[in-house]
Amino acid sequence: TEGGQVVLGLKVTVPETTNINVTDGTRSESATEDPPLVFAATGFSFLAGGAASAIGSQIAGKPSNTAPGAQVLELQAIDTSTTTGACQGSLVGSLSVEFALECLDPDTCGTVQAGVSGNGGASYTAIARNPAGAVTAWTSVAGIDFGSSATSRAPLVIRYADAGQVRIYARYNIPRPNGTPSGNYISGASNAFVVRPFAFFIDVTGAPAATDGAGPVFRAAGQSFPAILKPVVWESGDDPLNYLTLTGNAVTRQFSKHGPSVMVNLARVLQAPALGAAGTLTGGGAVHTFTDGTGGGEKNVTLAWDEVGILTLTANVASYLGGAAIPGQRVNLGRFTPHHFEVTVLPGCGTFNYSGQPFDHPATAPLTGVTATAHAAGHTITTNYHGPYGFAKTVTFSNAGSVANFTNQTLPGADFTLGLGSDRDIAYTFPVKETSPVTLTLRGVDTDLVSSSGYTEETALIRSGRLTAQNAFGPELLPLSVPLRLEYYLDGVTGWTLNGADTCTSLAPGSELLLYNGLAPKAGRLVGNTTIPVAGALTTTASALPFAGGIGSLSLSAPGDGGSGTVDLEILVPTWLRADLDGIDHGLLGPGGHCNPGLAAAAPGFIAGCAADGLLDDDAPTVRATFGIFRGNPKMIYLRERVQ
């Protein structure tokens, strides 16, 4: 009915060592679970806050009476009253008491002495250290004041500047009446208690303390860096979570003797950007066996982080030897940049780009451009290289390092999205229109000097292009076809040749064609008005046929019987398809963007304020279509009238 448990009372009236044995005739208790009971006439009791065997977890290097975790420790001498049989104070006054330290885990002691103070910590006496189970070395400490017989308690402060589980012993050699030692001792031992390192100091040599995207650069994402993990002692004024206050603290070398039995969790916390990806910390996780430090008791680790930003490294033991946790962190570790860029190109015109043509020509689909993708050393994309986060920088594109002949080659960091940024306005323009094709190697470098050199750098073929058109004539009863031709400059021998690879050029007469003649002067015409009078009320309307293999055409509808006349067509092609078609500076002004400088005010093509622009290579093709002219039999090669 007692749930399998019986509580017995035992009274022993003489000093002795005894044991309790329990058996039911078949089974007996385990000897290891039933150690001998020692009854002494007198003894020492270690009190913490007035309670026996209650010394809590201590911090290496910190006096036991100092915060954090301060405790009031006392050594009490007691014996048995011959009158009442109760415990009573046994010693009074200031005496010399011998102390010893027993190292339990690790079971051998290090070189750091434990200290005991009987005067509130004003001074300490280093006491002897002993391995587990072999307490043979003692140190006498003077000035242990037990006060009066009412309490027989002496204030005690202990300090141990290393780590592990320990026990402290005290003994007093009872003197004879003549004052000589009797060889009989009042003795006692504390409970086993843990002394933990104050904190982990994470030493990353040479690392700047960056706080935002404008801070100094530390490493590239994915690039390894060394760190040293040091379990350190307490010093006055230290903050366990501020690495700057721990730089000179001594290392608790006993911590290294635990080997793999004590694991330290080394992890990362993303400090900035706040909304970014935490990435992966290589070399972290469970760290143990602190045996390879340069100063002893340390742990060298090699770490790598595969993202952009600023880290906080944390080191933690949740429960050291079953006691309190050991904290530690390294804040403001960074700034980390991308390791490299990879640059890809989607040309603006199929397999090439025209000289002067943006790589993202609006008429093409899908979107094109020059794209830089930020990568870590392991080639994963660093998504924290993101405009809103403030860690992406301006990237400048070049031809393998040369920025000559580029326009709009800089891509602001604000334009990056999760590690990817595309420059769709960049263009490369030949200084001379008649230049043979070249192949560019697109390279990206940001203001931190992160580069694509040595990694993916796609190429782009650049051709100098132009559009040419031919005059057309024929009867007014049939539509007229104006031949168009796309060309690129090959070399000084061939010159201009058909560009059959063009897949991007198209003509929209409603926005790229200017029609004019004597009935509808150029000065008053609007671009995109595709219907124009030819003769009287008879009109023609322009439309376009798509290019195929570099060949295209404009079609003018037949005005009808009696519709003899001419129409001038100015084709407002993009700037990269304009060229010097006649050696004349046509200027830049007017509805069609071009005019003819030097014309008389009465001339049909005159536009007020028209002036030369000093350029020859910006001609828009201009042709004339003439209705009402017999074009002959298409099967006839040559026709000549007979002269009488």
Side-chain angles (χ1 to χ4, degrees):
T1 61
E2 300 299 329
Q5 184 182 77
V6 176
V7 179
L8 304 175
L10 174 67
K11 180 179 180 180
V12 177
T13 59
V14 296
E16 66 175 3
T17 298
T18 188
N19 202 351
I20 306 296
N21 295 318
V22 179
T23 180
D24 64 359
T26 302
R27 298 181 183 275
S28 299
E29 88 275 5
S30 168
T32 60
E33 296 176 356
D34 181 21
L37 298 171
V38 179
F39 289 86
T42 60
F44 280 129
S45 179
F46 286 84
L47 306 178
S53 301
I55 298 179
S57 180
Q58 301 293 307
I59 295 175
K62 183 187 72 66
S64 56
N65 64 342
T66 302
Q71 283 189 304
V72 176
L73 303 185
E74 297 170 300
L75 181 65
Q76 183 181 36
I78 54 175
D79 61 13
T80 304
S81 170
T82 57
T83 304
T84 65
C87 291
Q88 62 182 14
S90 177
L91 297 177
V92 295
S94 181
L95 302 172
S96 293
V97 177
E98 293 180 283
F99 289 89
L101 183 77
E102 181 186 18
C103 297
L104 302 174
D105 186 3
D107 57 7
T108 57
C109 297
T111 59
V112 176
Q113 293 280 358
V116 171
S117 173
N119 55 11
S123 61
Y124 290 87
T125 300
I127 63 172
R129 293 156 291 123
N130 298 267
V135 179
T136 58
W138 297 80
T139 300
S140 180
V141 180
I144 305 300
D145 189 357
F146 290 93
S148 67
S149 59
T151 60
S152 194
R153 295 181 180 182
L156 202 63
V157 179
I158 59 175
R159 183 179 66 187
Y160 181 46
D162 218 317
Q165 186 184 52
V166 298
R167 181 182 286 115
I168 191 167
Y169 291 79
R171 72 179 186 181
Y172 175 68
N173 197 338
I174 302 172
R176 295 186 178 93
N178 62 3
T180 61
S182 66
N184 296 316
Y185 289 91
I186 299 176
S187 61
S190 73
N191 59 295
F193 60 93
V194 172
V195 183
R196 68 169 176 86
F198 174 61
F200 288 108
F201 172 50
I202 307 173
D203 187 3
V204 185
T205 304
T211 57
D212 55 31
V217 174
F218 171 52
R219 279 290 191 281
Q223 184 181 33
S224 63
F225 60 93
I228 305 175
L229 215 57
K230 301 178 180 179
V232 297
V233 303
W234 173 93
E235 290 183 0
S236 180
D238 280 346
D239 178 351
L241 299 181
N242 183 352
Y243 75 98
L244 291 175
T245 67
L246 305 177
T247 54
N249 294 38
V251 175
T252 56
R253 296 196 175 194
Q254 286 289 87
F255 188 85
S256 67
K257 294 183 179 179
H258 296 303
S261 65
V262 175
M263 297 286 187
V264 181
N265 183 41
L266 181 60
R268 53 86 184 92
V269 176
L270 180 66
Q271 186 172 331
L275 300 178
T280 300
L281 181 70
T282 303
V287 176
H288 58 80
T289 315
F290 282 58
T291 59
D292 55 355
T294 56
E298 304 171 353
K299 177 67 176 180
N300 290 335
V301 294
T302 299
L303 305 176
W305 185 50
D306 65 355
E307 258 299 348
V308 166
I310 301 171
L311 281 184
T312 292
L313 290 179
T314 63
N316 177 266
V317 173
S319 178
Y320 177 57
L321 301 180
I326 308 173
Q329 67 179 25
R330 169 66 159 88
V331 298
N332 302 123
L333 183 60
R335 175 173 53 99
F336 290 82
T337 68
H339 181 266
H340 65 273
F341 291 111
E342 295 188 3
V343 176
T344 56
V345 180
L346 198 57
C349 200
T351 59
F352 69 96
N353 250 60
Y354 283 113
S355 168
Q357 178 191 18
F359 276 78
D360 179 31
H361 177 42
T364 63
L367 289 177
T368 56
V370 180
T371 299
T373 307
H375 287 260
H379 291 279
T380 58
I381 296 176
T382 53
T383 59
N384 290 349
Y385 202 79
H386 182 61
Y389 293 164
F391 284 86
K393 305 298 179 181
T394 297
V395 173
T396 298
F397 294 104
S398 66
N399 177 24
S402 173
V403 297
N405 305 324
F406 280 98
T407 53
N408 300 319
Q409 73 271 32
T410 56
L411 177 63
D415 290 350
F416 273 82
T417 301
L418 300 177
L420 186 149
S422 291
D423 188 346
R424 297 186 172 99
D425 297 321
I426 184 173
Y428 185 87
T429 305
F430 294 138
V432 177
K433 186 71 175 180
E434 286 77 15
T435 300
S436 299
V438 300
T439 298
L440 307 179
T441 298
L442 274 300
R443 176 169 299 168
V445 180
D446 74 2
T447 52
D448 286 327
L449 302 183
V450 177
S451 173
S452 59
S453 180
Y455 298 90
T456 300
E457 292 181 335
E458 291 189 348
T459 59
L461 175 64
I462 306 296
R463 289 177 170 178
S464 183
R466 72 179 187 180
L467 184 144
T468 62
Q470 296 180 17
N471 294 334
F473 64 92
E476 70 273 23
L477 299 179
L478 295 175
L480 280 183
S481 178
V482 178
L484 304 177
R485 178 182 170 94
L486 293 167
E487 298 178 334
Y488 75 96
Y489 188 83
L490 182 60
D491 52 40
V493 176
T494 305
W496 295 92
T497 187
L498 181 67
N499 191 5
D502 187 312
T503 61
C504 67
T505 301
S506 61
L507 284 181
S511 60
E512 297 177 311
L513 197 61
L514 179 65
L515 306 180
Y516 58 93
N517 57 19
L519 299 177
K522 181 178 181 181
R525 291 289 293 178
L526 297 177
V527 176
N529 186 350
T530 57
T531 299
I532 189 170
V534 177
L538 299 178
T539 63
T540 183
T541 300
S543 59
L545 296 178
F547 286 93
I551 301 297
S553 65
L554 289 170
S555 179
L556 295 174
S557 63
D561 190 17
S564 298
T566 62
V567 177
D568 292 322
L569 299 91
E570 186 172 346
I571 306 169
L572 306 179
V573 295
T575 56
W576 53 87
L577 289 178
R578 297 183 182 185
D580 182 9
L581 300 177
D582 55 13
I584 299 174
D585 181 356
H586 290 275
L588 180 63
L589 196 66
H594 281 66
C595 61
N596 296 315
L599 289 181
F606 174 80
I607 299 176
C610 184
D613 60 9
L615 301 175
L616 296 177
D617 291 326
D618 63 348
D619 294 355
T622 302
V623 294
R624 175 165 291 182
T626 304
F627 288 99
I629 296 179
F630 175 64
R631 62 185 179 186
N633 189 326
K635 296 182 180 180
M636 187 174 296
I637 298 175
Y638 178 71
L639 174 67
R640 179 178 178 182
E641 292 186 7
R642 180 179 178 189
V643 178
Q644 297 293 337

